[in-house]
Amino acid sequence: MSTKMAVDRVFNFSAGPAVLPVPVLEEAQRDLLSLPGCGASILEISHRSKQFIAIMEDAEQRLRDLLGIPANYKVLFLQGGSRLQFSMVPMNLMRGTGKPAEYVLTGSWGNYAVKEAKREGETRVLWDGKATNYDRLPNLDELEYGDSAYVHLTSNETIQGIQFASDPNRSESVFVSDMSSDFMHRPVDVARYGMIYACAQKNAGPAGVTVVIVREDLLERSDDSLPGYLNYKSHNDAGSMYNTPPTFGIYVVGLVAKWLQEDVGGLANMYQRNRDKAQLLYDVLDESPEFYQGHAQVSDRSLMNVTFRLPSEELTKTFVAEAAAQQLESLEGHRSVGGIRASIYNAMPIEGVAALRDLMVDFRNRHA
Ligand SMILES: *Cc1c(COP(=O)(O)O)cnc(C)c1O
């Protein structure tokens, strides 16, 4: 796949929907009128056509190869975003177990998730970072786990910019991880989790498709009384074709996985790239803590969403405007945290991060 851009593009630091790899967009564009060997667009063909089934199988196989997903895990392509998973997880994995669900609250998304779980049954908050405004993470191996249906965590808190750097290692609990904003940013040990889910529009594709990776035995918990669409078992039994799946989204997720395999060379390489990119920005924060105030504690900083504040609202506005004038777009922080948020997902090229770093250094030198 070529990396040359046919048109001018800005460096897009949006938190989501977010930047996609140029070769992915080019391939999708090239094949949009007619998929090779098909004579029709991906947008036009039946989800039951042999061409689409091949595309979906290919996407699943690439995810399995990239993440080393064990054979006893199922991969589902669903709709409704990660928000629907906030409800489907407790409906399927808690209902009928007679046990509470445990939640680790490390930021905004974890709080939205527990709110939905409370509608379904008893929840226990294992840890809550609210007192320090969600700027740090607990050590997952040292929490006091009880006898629960599952333990829910958010691998990367997209709004606060804090991220677990490793997988939990407590085999007595069933971990469910919301990996929406860092899915496939590093190799993970899938076997440490009962379930992983990720809406695609942050780090894996377009809005409209959510990847669910679930251990086979957990599907037995899904009760027949659940509405069909909300039941993992019905999706699994139908091979993600319980209803018409989000065909275009699945196709693009497959292209992103192919890019990770063939252009990037796998998740270990992607992880190194992500660390290199984030380091460029964190070095500036560390050099000038009196000017750029990072939101996150150093040990818990996210490789995906870099959050920081400038000395004043006015300087923040000026910074965002100067950035936009240099084609560095969508840097405003989330309204609940303020300041700047630079989302530098897998597809953000290091050139974009370096350009932002240069502006940060120059801006500080002019305004500090
Ligand atoms: C964006 C995001 C969500 C919500 O995803 P939707 O697809 O909008 O439902 C959930 N969790 C995290 C960590 C996110 O970043």
Side-chain angles (χ1 to χ4, degrees), residues 56 59-64 66-67 69 73-86 88-89 152 155 176-184 188 190 194-215 229 232 235 240 245-246 248-257 260:
M56 187 155 86
E60 175 176 340
Q61 191 57 50
R62 289 180 186 281
L63 296 186
R64 286 188 176 278
L66 272 166
L67 286 158
I69 300 175
Y73 283 70
K74 299 295 181 182
V75 178
L76 307 175
F77 296 103
L78 306 184
Q79 297 174 75
S82 286
R83 286 273 189 169
L84 186 56
Q85 293 313 306
F86 294 170
M88 283 180 75
V89 166
H152 184 278
S155 57
V176 174
S177 184
D178 174 1
M179 295 195 184
S180 295
S181 53
D182 66 356
F183 187 53
M184 299 197 291
V188 299
V190 174
M195 186 181 139
I196 289 167
Y197 63 93
C199 55
Q201 73 272 17
K202 281 30 184 298
N203 210 25
V209 59
T210 298
V211 179
V212 168
I213 300 169
V214 57
R215 213 175 63 208
Y229 191 87
Y232 291 134
H235 289 286
S240 289
F248 183 73
I250 294 167
Y251 161 74
V252 178
V253 167
L255 295 183
V256 169
L260 284 166

Side-chain angles (χ1 to χ4, degrees), residues 105-107 111 125 127-136 295:
L105 303 186
T106 53
N111 274 282
V125 173
W127 191 89
D128 188 346
K130 188 170 187 205
T132 58
N133 202 13
Y134 299 109
D135 69 344
R136 67 194 67 189
H295 175 77

Side-chain angles (χ1 to χ4, degrees), residues 16-323:
V19 59
L20 283 165
V22 169
V24 166
L25 296 173
E26 286 180 334
E27 182 167 343
Q29 180 191 45
R30 197 169 58 237
D31 294 346
L32 192 69
L33 281 176
S34 171
L35 280 168
C38 179
S41 172
I42 179 69
L43 299 172
E44 301 170 305
I45 59 175
S46 166
H47 57 296
R48 301 201 185 277
S49 64
K50 68 177 192 312
Q51 288 93 347
F52 180 72
I53 289 172
I55 284 171
M56 187 155 86
E57 285 175 354
D58 178 70
E60 175 176 340
Q61 191 57 50
R62 289 180 186 281
L63 296 186
R64 286 188 176 278
D65 293 346
L66 272 166
L67 286 158
I69 300 175
N72 64 324
Y73 283 70
K74 299 295 181 182
V75 178
L76 307 175
F77 296 103
L78 306 184
Q79 297 174 75
S82 286
R83 286 273 189 169
L84 186 56
Q85 293 313 306
F86 294 170
S87 299
M88 283 180 75
V89 166
M91 285 176 164
N92 285 268
L93 301 186
M94 172 159 53
R95 191 179 285 194
T97 63
K99 295 177 184 179
E102 295 179 313
Y103 278 71
V104 182
L105 303 186
T106 53
S108 306
W109 290 113
N111 274 282
Y112 290 129
V114 75
K115 200 168 152 201
E116 297 301 332
K118 281 180 185 159
R119 297 183 205 273
E120 179 60 29
E122 189 191 337
T123 58
R124 204 162 84 84
V125 173
L126 277 179
W127 191 89
D128 188 346
K130 188 170 187 205
T132 58
N133 202 13
Y134 299 109
D135 69 344
R136 67 194 67 189
L137 298 168
N139 181 336
L140 283 178
D141 295 335
E142 291 173 0
L143 295 179
E144 300 263 328
Y145 298 101
D147 184 20
S148 64
Y150 62 86
V151 179
H152 184 278
L153 57 103
T154 312
S155 57
N156 181 63
E157 280 286 359
T158 322
I159 291 174
Q160 284 75 20
I162 56 176
Q163 180 180 39
F164 288 106
S166 56
D167 304 312
N169 195 13
R170 293 280 296 250
S171 55
E172 73 274 26
S173 296
V174 174
F175 287 94
V176 174
S177 184
D178 174 1
M179 295 195 184
S180 295
S181 53
D182 66 356
F183 187 53
M184 299 197 291
H185 90 291
R186 67 167 167 89
V188 299
D189 186 352
V190 174
R192 300 265 185 94
Y193 301 88
M195 186 181 139
I196 289 167
Y197 63 93
C199 55
Q201 73 272 17
K202 281 30 184 298
N203 210 25
V209 59
T210 298
V211 179
V212 168
I213 300 169
V214 57
R215 213 175 63 208
E216 205 169 12
D217 59 288
L218 295 173
L219 294 171
E220 295 312 316
R221 294 189 189 178
S222 298
D223 196 274
D224 257 357
S225 64
L226 286 170
Y229 191 87
L230 303 183
N231 187 320
Y232 291 134
K233 204 161 174 303
S234 27
H235 289 286
N236 182 58
D237 290 349
S240 289
M241 297 227 191
Y242 178 75
N243 72 327
T244 310
T247 50
F248 183 73
I250 294 167
Y251 161 74
V252 178
V253 167
L255 295 183
V256 169
K258 183 165 87 163
W259 172 77
L260 284 166
Q261 291 175 308
E262 296 177 3
D263 290 31
V264 177
L267 296 188
N269 284 359
M270 192 68 249
Y271 190 32
Q272 187 58 50
R273 280 194 197 183
N274 284 327
R275 281 180 293 187
D276 292 345
K277 285 189 290 179
Q279 197 60 46
L280 291 181
L281 303 184
Y282 286 128
D283 279 347
V284 183
L285 304 196
D286 292 341
E287 272 163 25
S288 34
E290 67 300 325
F291 193 78
Y292 293 119
Q293 261 190 356
H295 175 77
Q297 297 290 306
V298 170
S299 58
D300 299 326
R301 299 193 289 208
S302 169
L303 301 182
M304 302 280 100
N305 311 95
V306 177
T307 50
F308 58 92
R309 269 179 290 274
L310 281 78
S312 71
E313 262 315 291
E314 206 187 310
L315 281 173
T316 307
K317 283 206 181 89
T318 312
F319 181 88
V320 168
E322 287 194 19

Side-chain angles (χ1 to χ4, degrees), residues 341-353:
R341 170 173 55 172
S343 297
I344 53 172
Y345 299 119
N346 285 355
M348 168 59 69
I350 195 156
E351 293 77 14
V353 183

